[in-house]
Amino acid sequence: MIRTFTTLAVLLAAPAAVAQSMELTPAESRAATIGSSETFTGTALVAPVFGPDMGDVSAGEVTFLPGARSAWHTHPAGQKLVVTAGSGWVQERGQPKQLMQAGDVIWCPPGIEHWHGATDTTHVTHFAIQQVVDGSAVTWGEKVTDADYLE
């Protein structure tokens, strides 16, 4: 009987001995880089928030200066945009562009071609959250033309 309780106590304590603990990533360790001129027009600052260590989901914080925007693109599992500052535009191919503002959350379904960025006079910052599928989270298309951007 004592052996049973001892064995049970060891088994219950074992997970605590190998349990992981919380991890804090300081903001200053998430240095932003200027987005590639192949996938952005204008100045877009891109900072990683977290990599695909949570079910292959990753996130980046992107700040677009006035006039900056992404190229047309799609996501195999869709994308959530959480706007944290400023105001900008988001557009699905073939649809009118829409204003997005701090506090808004945008869902871009899988495979839907879209772009997002600042307005021509304001900046915007958002978290972009997407899942990696077969090694990729995004498929980039052509850049949004100035005419299409200002339409």
Side-chain angles (χ1 to χ4, degrees):
M1 180 83 157
I2 291 176
R3 181 192 279 191
T4 303
F5 286 119
T6 303
T7 303
L8 183 58
V10 168
L11 289 174
L12 291 175
V18 295
Q20 295 182 349
S21 61
M22 291 177 32
E23 180 181 326
L24 184 141
T25 303
E28 61 270 9
S29 72
R30 300 186 308 106
T33 59
I34 295 177
S36 167
S37 62
E38 293 179 16
T39 52
F40 294 97
T41 298
T43 302
L45 302 172
V46 182
V49 176
F50 57 85
D53 57 359
M54 192 175 72
D56 292 330
V57 174
S58 64
E61 180 180 31
V62 186
T63 298
F64 295 91
L65 298 186
R69 69 261 188 191
S70 70
W72 289 101
H73 60 284
T74 63
H75 300 277
Q79 181 184 54
K80 288 272 189 177
L81 301 174
V82 181
V83 184
T84 59
S87 59
W89 289 322
V90 61
Q91 184 176 21
E92 178 181 332
R93 176 81 77 176
Q95 301 296 320
K97 66 184 173 191
Q98 298 179 60
L99 182 67
M100 58 179 180
Q101 302 178 73
D104 290 349
V105 177
I106 297 97
W107 166 239
C108 303
I112 297 297
E113 195 172 26
H114 66 283
W115 67 267
H116 34 95
T119 72
D120 54 342
T121 60
T122 63
H123 79 281
V124 69
T125 300
H126 64 55
F127 287 109
I129 305 163
Q130 53 280 316
Q131 182 178 3
V132 174
V133 175
D134 296 329
S136 178
V138 61
T139 301
W140 291 103
E142 76 273 6
K143 287 182 156 186
V144 175
T145 66
D146 289 344
D148 287 341
Y149 173 74
L150 293 172
E151 184 176 283

